Amino acid sequence: MSFDSNYTMTIDGRATLSSESMDVLNPATEECIARVPDASLDQLNDAVAAARRAQASWAALPLARRQHSLDAMADLLASHTDDFMRLLTREQGKPHADAKAEVGRCVHWLREYAKRTLPVSRHDDGAGHLFETHHVPIGVVAAIAPWNFPMTLAIWKVAPALLAGNTVVLKPSPFTPLTSLKMGELFRDVLPPGVLNVVSGSDRLGPWLTEHPGIDKIGFTGSTATGRRVMQSASSRLKRITLELGGNDAAIVLPDVDVAQTARALFWGAFRNSSQYCLATKRMYVHESIYDDFSRELVAYARTVEMGNGAAPGVGLGPIQNRMQYERVKDLIADAHRTGVKFLLGGSVPEGKGYFIPVCILDNPPDDSRSVIEEAFGPVLPLLKYRDIDEVVRRANDSDYGLGGSVWSRDQNLAYEIAGRLQTGMVWVNHIHVMSPNAPFGGQKQSGIGVENAMEGLQEYTNVQTRVTLIN
Ligand code: NAD
């Protein structure tokens, strides 16, 4: 299989092209690296119809057969790790090391889902009735992924959906369709036709998919604004939804930390994937007594990290993934300049090819500045001073978002207690960004509805059915 050309959609197990196509750019060079099909409405209808036809027989297979298919998908991905790594870097921009980690994560998640069974609970009411609760498939799932972690966030939906006995129509972002199309091509060998359909397309495709009457459940990761539109589309037929949306995560650094070590860990917490990370630290609250030391360490470490084409050795940070986001982040920087915010680092954007924005660290901007309130989704970090714990917890929670956060202190118990006061779905103590397929992840407030991963995430791809029988 070539990873450099011939990108086809997978509809009913067959390679499918379209009369229309779209360009895919490498964000590090702005060169067109591929043309991919721009699905028509008829083709989407075909994909949904194929998924509907395949669903009953897929669900009727013994669970062990579906588990085996997930393992086979993991094997195929693992055996093409370097191909996917290179392709992911070319379409998304992230450094090879991060791309390889992403492929590895997909393999790991598939293998962990392949071990899962769905629980059946039983209850005898003492009056001659046995209540037996099963988790049954919902039907056809639309899986919609964004461009920051195109592979991970596709697999996080596809794996539980398939294991639970649903069939899937996967739609990648138009900015990063290549890895999803190649996964679809690869998995044709181990999945029956129609079980996993992969369609690529322009902006019209997402709404067509979420409004489609043949879709029963939508697993969506993307921005909060789009999440609202998805929820609206789902409402007409009460489709089930899981929405993983934006975040504005706070890190709270207490005065007793090892400053150099914490600054280094939080540099990556804020800037990995060039901050295009829903769970990136987007507000860094540092106690006033160590603020100056901490900012010096953070800036000094930032200067050691190389930004460039993710395919080049030694590069730690790649470009912004697309022009729209690049312009948005530049506008945020311009706003900081306009409003007189001091830059501890960065603040200008180089001319030339590629959507590169050097790391910007802002010196204690006001709480009501755009850089503090908005999800930057790019390397613009406000470093903020605080004085006491109640104050910083209130400021951290003063956000429409509630996705993640972290607390840093030598006093583990105190940090743990503060972590519990954050209104977020995920919070780390003295480290950051460790995720597990066995721990649920989801957002509070406007960061989402429902969770992914673990048994809770798997159950979101099921309906509950309670069967009541008579006990003789
Ligand atoms: P986006 O909302 O623009 O797009 C996400 C996906 O939705 C894409 O595939 C897009 O084509 C599709 N889409 C767009 N409009 C649609 C519509 N009306 N109906 C259906 N689908 C539609 O998001 P993005 O810019 O690709 O990703 C960045 C955002 O994703 C950030 O806000 C980030 O925080 C969030 N995100 C959240 C998580 C999480 O797990 N909570 C993880 C990663 C990214």
Side-chain angles (χ1 to χ4, degrees):
M1 175 188 286
S2 161
F3 277 73
D4 296 329
S5 55
N6 299 332
Y7 300 94
T8 58
M9 299 191 289
T10 299
I11 297 178
D12 206 11
R14 281 191 294 273
T16 309
L17 289 167
S18 175
S19 57
E20 291 177 68
S21 58
M22 325 180 285
D23 288 348
V24 180
L25 305 187
N26 179 336
T29 62
E30 297 178 57
E31 282 164 7
C32 173
I33 51 171
R35 291 185 71 77
V36 300
D38 182 359
S40 66
L41 183 55
D42 282 346
Q43 289 178 314
L44 177 66
N45 288 338
D46 289 347
V48 175
R52 292 212 80 79
R53 277 196 305 278
Q55 198 268 322
S57 49
W58 176 246
L61 289 175
L63 179 67
R65 286 283 303 281
R66 295 199 299 276
Q67 291 171 324
H68 178 75
S69 296
L70 261 56
D71 262 332
M73 291 161 73
D75 291 344
L76 279 172
L77 266 190
S79 67
H80 289 90
T81 296
D82 286 352
D83 296 318
F84 276 106
M85 173 192 80
R86 282 190 286 270
L87 189 59
L88 183 54
T89 294
R90 287 173 69 212
E91 72 169 344
Q92 204 283 332
K94 66 185 67 188
H96 270 167
D98 290 348
K100 192 165 190 163
E102 181 160 351
V103 181
R105 213 162 26 240
C106 293
V107 172
H108 180 49
W109 253 251
L110 280 163
R111 290 211 198 288
E112 286 297 309
Y113 270 112
K115 294 179 196 157
R116 293 256 161 77
T117 54
L118 283 159
V120 179
S121 62
R122 292 187 179 80
H123 160 67
D124 174 347
D125 71 351
H129 308 105
L130 180 65
F131 292 76
E132 212 178 58
T133 301
H134 294 255
H135 290 273
V136 299
I138 299 174
V140 177
V141 169
I144 302 179
W147 45 257
N148 59 342
F149 289 90
M151 294 185 70
T152 306
L153 296 171
I155 291 295
W156 282 16
K157 294 160 188 58
V158 169
L162 294 186
L163 185 81
N166 305 283
T167 52
V168 175
V169 179
L170 168 63
K171 190 203 87 64
S173 164
F175 295 116
T176 53
L178 303 182
T179 44
S180 288
L181 291 171
K182 280 294 158 198
M183 286 197 287
E185 292 177 17
L186 204 62
F187 297 156
R188 277 177 214 153
D189 289 344
V190 294
L191 294 171
V195 167
L196 174 62
N197 305 274
V198 184
V199 289
S200 52
S202 49
D203 288 345
R204 60 194 187 175
L205 186 59
W208 283 349
L209 182 56
T210 50
E211 280 158 22
H212 202 290
I215 296 294
D216 303 299
K217 153 95 194 181
I218 302 165
F220 171 85
T221 302
S223 62
T224 298
T226 311
R228 285 195 195 99
R229 286 196 280 276
V230 169
M231 196 163 173
Q232 228 158 17
S233 300
S235 70
S236 60
R237 295 178 69 86
L238 297 181
K239 289 169 191 158
R240 276 48 182 162
I241 48 173
T242 302
L243 304 178
E244 297 292 356
L245 308 177
N248 195 6
D249 293 11
I252 300 178
V253 182
L254 272 65
D256 64 350
V257 295
D258 177 324
V259 168
Q261 205 179 317
T262 309
R264 181 181 281 235
L266 272 174
F267 173 84
W268 291 110
F271 296 110
R272 188 173 297 288
N273 212 33
S274 295
S275 309
Q276 301 162 107
Y277 196 167
C278 56
L279 284 162
T281 298
K282 293 174 183 135
R283 296 173 289 157
M284 204 176 284
Y285 293 96
V286 179
H287 192 265
E288 59 180 6
S289 63
I290 58 163
Y291 182 90
D292 291 342
D293 284 350
F294 189 93
S295 59
R296 255 192 311 275
E297 288 289 345
L298 188 66
V299 167
Y301 184 68
R303 290 190 198 282
T304 68
V305 178
E306 200 181 322
M307 185 185 72
N309 188 324
V315 164
L317 297 174
I320 297 298
Q321 199 283 324
N322 58 73
R323 176 160 289 279
M324 205 166 68
Q325 187 61 23
Y326 174 71
E327 296 298 339
R328 221 180 270 158
V329 178
K330 284 206 305 189
D331 187 53
L332 206 58
I333 294 171
D335 179 77
H337 282 300
R338 245 190 329 266
T339 53
V341 174
K342 188 176 154 214
F343 285 68
L344 293 165
L345 183 68
S348 60
V349 176
E351 297 291 322
K353 284 286 176 201
Y355 307 133
F356 291 103
I357 298 191
V359 164
C360 293
I361 302 175
L362 307 180
D363 188 11
N364 201 29
D367 279 0
D368 62 356
S369 59
R370 280 184 56 198
S371 63
V372 178
I373 295 170
E374 292 181 18
E375 177 185 42
F377 226 62
V380 182
L381 174 74
L383 197 62
L384 301 150
K385 256 183 224 182
Y386 76 90
R387 185 163 290 173
D388 73 64
I389 304 254
D390 286 345
E391 167 219 328
V392 75
V393 168
R394 180 186 50 72
R395 288 166 72 195
N397 284 335
D398 185 17
S399 170
D400 287 341
Y401 294 110
L403 196 59
S406 60
V407 185
W408 303 74
S409 169
R410 284 202 166 97
D411 183 342
Q412 172 97 0
N413 292 335
L414 175 60
Y416 183 83
E417 187 262 325
I418 295 169
R421 294 171 64 189
L422 295 185
Q423 296 164 348
T424 63
M426 196 93 189
V427 55
W428 289 274
V429 174
N430 289 329
H431 67 291
I432 193 161
H433 293 163
V434 177
M435 309 281 290
S436 164
N438 299 309
F441 158 60
Q444 297 185 14
K445 301 194 265 186
Q446 298 197 30
S447 287
I449 291 182
V451 295
E452 293 193 298
N453 302 332
M455 190 50 81
E456 290 89 338
L458 175 57
Q459 288 180 1
E460 298 225 357
Y461 288 92
T462 66
N463 279 320
V464 165
Q465 185 189 55
T466 297
R467 301 173 195 162
V468 192
T469 51
L470 296 173
I471 305 171
N472 297 319

